[in-house]
Amino acid sequence: MEILVTNDDGIWATGIQTLASSLKELGEVSIVAPLEEKSAIGHGITIRESIRVQEHKLKGLKSAWAVDGTPADCVKLGVKELVGNDCGLVISGINHGPNLGTDVLYSGTVSAAIEGVIMGLPSIAVSLNSWDYDDYSVAADVTLNLVRYILENKMMLPGRTLLNVNIPPVKKEEILGFRITKLGVREYDNQYEKRLDPKGDTYYWPAGKIIPSKEINPDIDIIAVEQNYISITPIHFDLTNYQIIKEVNKWDLDKLRI
Ligand code: MN
């Protein structure tokens, strides 16, 4: 079985390189990752431009492709053209920084894994909960163990569900364990800074700080990872609110006729 490894930080990021080399013992590994950083690009795909690829030889890997496109492009193109039919698993990461709560909607890392499940492949997104910590070795070991467990026990999730994994940036001994979680809500403060350019025109600089969550439920992903647990959230791309369908069905829809 081949494992397709991708990310949104770009092919040369330490996170993906560490991850790919640790997954080698589970099968043939190919990297198909963006040529440049595409963080926060969500599930964007390229539709009106060509997609160029560069093949690289990386030690111990079956193949490595730098794609001038988005993370979702990498998975689509990787499965259909580059890696081929033996691709049995998509792992996206290890992202530099968390992908927690509502932020998964912006995340290229998570979107790549969503693309994987759309294509019918078991998929996992992995992120390290820090923008400063640059030791990915613990996170890579955690991912290796998780993937091995899933493969050995055939724990593939039904209904095209992916796993979103966030790992605390601490030493192995400090990790308290795993928690199966649900997505929380990420709120930001002062999202844009208003500035003037030299010509006197206004522009905005995206800034913003995360507002610490008031949530106390330990089953929320944001809280679990803050408490030094590895957070695993099963995610689905189906955004339908099933509980509300009945309620909306009570509306007098005839009144909406035009
Ligand atoms: Mn990223």
Side-chain angles (χ1 to χ4, degrees):
M1 188 200 60
E2 283 193 41
I3 303 170
L4 188 158
V5 178
T6 190
N7 74 348
D8 73 1
D9 295 332
I11 188 166
W12 304 117
T14 315
I16 193 170
Q17 293 292 333
T18 313
L19 175 65
S21 80
S22 83
L23 291 174
K24 283 185 298 201
E25 61 179 85
L26 299 180
E28 294 204 283
V29 176
S30 288
I31 291 182
V32 185
L35 179 62
E36 286 169 6
E37 192 193 339
K38 298 285 176 187
S39 292
I41 201 154
H43 209 118
I45 53 167
T46 302
I47 54 167
R48 303 221 187 274
E49 287 165 41
S50 59
I51 304 174
R52 304 277 167 177
V53 299
Q54 299 167 354
E55 190 171 10
H56 295 275
K57 297 268 171 267
L58 295 181
K59 202 175 153 214
L61 302 189
K62 188 179 173 243
S63 58
W65 305 85
V67 176
D68 188 13
T70 68
D73 285 334
C74 289
V75 175
K76 285 163 81 81
L77 188 70
V79 173
K80 291 286 179 200
E81 297 288 332
L82 305 174
V83 175
N85 291 333
D86 290 337
C87 183
L89 192 61
V90 173
I91 315 281
S92 180
I94 298 165
N95 188 58
H96 179 61
N99 278 304
L100 293 163
T102 29
D103 279 353
V104 303
L105 294 169
Y106 312 116
S107 167
T109 308
V110 175
S111 295
I114 292 175
E115 192 58 48
V117 292
I118 289 174
M119 298 183 86
L121 295 167
S123 303
I124 302 173
V126 187
S127 305
L128 185 60
N129 186 35
S130 171
W131 285 286
D132 321 308
Y133 198 78
D134 53 8
D135 182 354
Y136 290 84
S137 59
V138 173
D141 287 350
V142 166
T143 312
L144 174 66
N145 271 0
L146 175 66
V147 174
R148 187 192 283 122
Y149 178 78
I150 287 170
L151 294 177
E152 282 175 359
N153 296 286
K154 303 196 170 30
M155 309 287 278
M156 299 313 174
L157 292 161
R160 299 190 178 188
T161 301
L162 61 126
L163 296 180
N164 185 39
V165 180
N166 280 273
I167 299 169
V170 293
K171 293 194 192 100
K172 212 168 262 190
E173 318 74 85
E174 291 169 58
I175 292 180
L176 297 179
F178 289 86
R179 228 182 241 166
I180 306 304
T181 55
K182 48 191 172 187
L183 296 178
V185 177
R186 266 288 212 212
E187 289 182 278
Y188 288 85
D189 200 9
N190 300 319
Q191 303 211 15
Y192 296 95
E193 213 176 286
K194 193 175 179 179
R195 296 182 182 179
L196 289 181
D197 71 13
K199 288 184 180 167
D201 292 329
T202 302
Y203 69 97
Y204 293 89
W205 189 256
K209 279 196 189 115
I210 292 170
I211 300 173
S213 178
K214 291 184 196 78
E215 192 58 72
I216 46 161
N217 183 349
D219 297 335
I220 298 288
D221 59 349
I222 298 164
I223 305 304
V225 83
E226 252 176 38
Q227 295 177 343
N228 279 356
Y229 282 87
I230 296 159
S231 163
I232 303 183
T233 315
I235 290 186
H236 199 276
F237 52 77
D238 182 355
L239 300 176
T240 312
N241 189 334
Y242 289 94
Q243 287 166 317
I244 302 298
I245 284 183
K246 233 190 216 166
E247 198 54 43
V248 180
N249 254 321
K250 287 184 198 155
W251 293 8
D252 186 357
L253 298 177
D254 281 341
K255 292 209 168 121
L256 299 178
R257 281 233 176 117
I258 49 167

